[in-house]
Amino acid sequence: MKLNLSFIYKPELILNQEPKKKIAILATGGTIAGRSSDESDTTGYVPGSASIADILTSVPVLKDIAHIVTDQVSNIGSEDMTNDIWLKLAERTQFYLNDPLIDGVVITHGTDTLEETGFLLNLVLKTQKPVVLVGSMRPCTAISADGPMNIIEAVKVTTCEQARGAGVVVVMNDEINGLRDVTKTNTSNVDTFQSRIFGALGTVSGGVPYFFKKSVKPHTIDTEFSIEDIKSLPRVDIIYAHADQDSTLIDAAIESGTSGIVYAGFGNGSIHKNAFPGLLRATEKEIPVIRSSRTGSGLVVDSAEAWTQAGFINAGSLNPQKARILLQLALTKSKKVSEIKRIFETY
Ligand code: ASP
């Protein structure tokens, strides 16, 4: 029998084929790793109960998209995130990014603190390679679980050329959002991550990633922070503004040795008159105070003269939990109000 060799062996096709990218998937837990015995249950599950190996069994198609290596960094509900896990995750991520064989990193994460972890990584990783966070709102045992498609799209974004130099992004629900601006906006809807007044950086449509924008805020290689220099993060507390407030919790934070306070103020970072004396006592003890807003959108800019005079620093467009991360990082550099102010104006 004569074999038609030109049919079964087409060297030009093989040579023209793009080699698959090599992606490291670092797993930390979350709903994307959550399980429930009831497939219609989207709330009563246990987050962080499936391993990354278990999760990947639901997406066999990944092997056609990229070469994957996995690393289980933690397996927690992200509401239990700690400074120690953050530092471990950042170090591990940088380790993979430094490997010339790795083209990018995907991090599976719970959605509750994803925006904080991602903003931290956006500021401390030294890389141009894509770094993509991904989570899900429904556990992996649910009908219509969103995790599998989110992972596929996250890996596709990580292999895409436009993700290089874009900073750390989150890919969920067909959207690509930058970690500086994105926030979780809904307790249970799969369309929870929004960049509000800034908008998404891009989208995934028909399985193809499209980028439309870049942030002008410095990130990754353009920041003054590097995970290689950071061995611990200071304690920073968030005090939430409310009617009939006093300074009790602010004084308790000072007493317990906090290094900084973020005040999640009303509107444009407005401060209750009875919380003001406590915040003033903080700055007198060289504990920096950041004015942020509990509104969830918009900028905090200069307002009452007394607050500026007291040395309180505006959070700009950073929400309280993001302002907390930036203050933690700023404090690894300096305690001076002028320096911290510069850092808040820069990032
Ligand atoms: N509690 C979960 C977590 O953040 C929620 C989620 O992942 O959607 O780990």
Side-chain angles (χ1 to χ4, degrees):
M1 191 178 84
K2 201 171 168 240
L3 278 175
N4 181 355
L5 282 179
S6 66
F7 175 70
I8 58 170
Y9 176 59
K10 287 196 171 168
E12 73 284 2
L13 270 188
I14 293 166
L15 289 175
N16 284 346
Q17 243 170 31
E18 284 258 320
K20 276 184 288 183
K21 297 264 174 85
K22 295 168 201 71
I23 305 300
I25 302 185
L26 276 59
T28 66
T31 297
I32 198 164
R35 278 193 170 127
S36 164
S37 50
D38 175 357
E39 58 188 14
S40 64
D41 179 9
T42 55
T43 53
Y45 58 91
V46 185
S49 51
S51 69
I52 185 63
D54 297 334
I55 296 172
L56 294 188
T57 56
S58 65
V59 281
V61 69
L62 271 195
K63 69 175 183 332
D64 303 328
I65 303 169
H67 295 292
I68 305 286
V69 291
T70 61
D71 190 344
Q72 189 82 48
V73 177
S74 65
N75 212 353
I76 58 162
S78 76
E79 63 275 18
D80 294 331
M81 185 50 74
T82 62
N83 285 345
D84 286 346
I85 299 176
W86 270 342
L87 295 181
K88 180 179 170 196
L89 175 64
E91 276 164 16
R92 297 295 291 167
T93 308
Q94 189 67 59
F95 167 83
Y96 285 100
L97 293 167
N98 290 348
D99 185 335
L101 292 177
I102 295 290
D103 295 299
V105 172
V106 171
I107 298 170
T108 61
H109 201 291
T111 59
D112 288 344
T113 55
L114 187 149
E115 65 192 87
E116 285 148 271
T117 302
F119 186 45
L120 177 78
L121 296 176
N122 195 48
L123 293 169
V124 303
L125 295 177
K126 295 297 152 218
T127 189
Q128 292 265 58
K129 294 179 185 176
V131 178
V132 176
L133 270 69
V134 62
S136 76
M137 293 301 284
R138 297 181 183 149
C140 59
T141 46
I143 288 182
S144 295
D146 50 332
M149 187 53 93
N150 286 344
I151 290 183
I152 291 169
E153 293 190 348
V155 172
K156 283 186 174 172
V157 170
T158 313
T159 61
C160 118
E161 211 36 50
Q162 284 177 291
R164 272 186 74 83
V168 179
V169 301
V170 52
V171 175
M172 280 180 65
N173 203 38
D174 299 342
E175 281 202 348
I176 307 166
N177 280 283
L179 256 309
R180 184 194 181 277
D181 301 323
V182 76
T183 190
K184 183 174 179 178
T185 64
N186 191 292
T187 54
S188 54
N189 196 294
V190 293
D191 187 20
T192 189
F193 280 100
Q194 310 280 338
S195 296
R196 293 205 155 128
I197 56 173
F198 303 103
L201 299 182
T203 183
V204 183
S205 195
V208 180
Y210 297 90
F211 277 80
F212 293 98
K213 295 188 219 162
K214 272 195 171 156
S215 175
V216 297
K217 289 289 184 182
H219 57 71
T220 56
I221 56 168
D222 294 323
T223 76
E224 60 209 271
F225 311 109
S226 167
I227 188 55
E228 278 167 18
D229 307 330
I230 301 170
K231 298 296 160 239
S232 65
L233 288 168
R235 174 170 163 183
V236 169
D237 293 302
I238 298 176
I239 304 283
Y240 199 91
H242 58 85
D244 200 33
Q245 190 169 35
D246 61 22
S247 290
T248 309
L249 292 181
I250 300 164
D251 288 330
I254 298 170
E255 285 294 299
S256 62
T258 196
S259 297
I261 293 174
V262 174
Y263 186 73
F266 309 96
N268 175 24
S270 295
I271 299 167
H272 194 291
K273 70 176 171 39
N274 297 335
F276 180 66
L279 294 176
L280 207 52
R281 282 192 280 280
T283 50
E284 280 161 10
K285 291 191 154 66
E286 293 190 345
I287 298 167
V289 171
I290 310 294
R291 285 173 53 235
S292 185
S293 175
R294 62 177 207 170
T295 55
S297 192
L299 275 67
V300 169
V301 295
D302 279 347
S303 178
E305 186 58 29
W307 303 336
T308 314
Q309 292 266 303
F312 302 161
I313 297 160
N314 302 334
S317 58
L318 295 177
N319 67 22
Q321 56 271 33
K322 297 260 178 85
R324 179 175 175 275
I325 302 286
L326 188 55
L327 182 55
Q328 285 184 294
L329 289 177
L331 285 166
T332 66
K333 295 273 173 193
S334 173
K335 284 190 77 174
K336 275 175 64 185
V337 170
S338 58
E339 255 310 277
I340 298 173
K341 197 164 180 287
R342 177 193 64 76
I343 286 172
F344 270 79
E345 282 162 5
T346 306
Y347 301 99

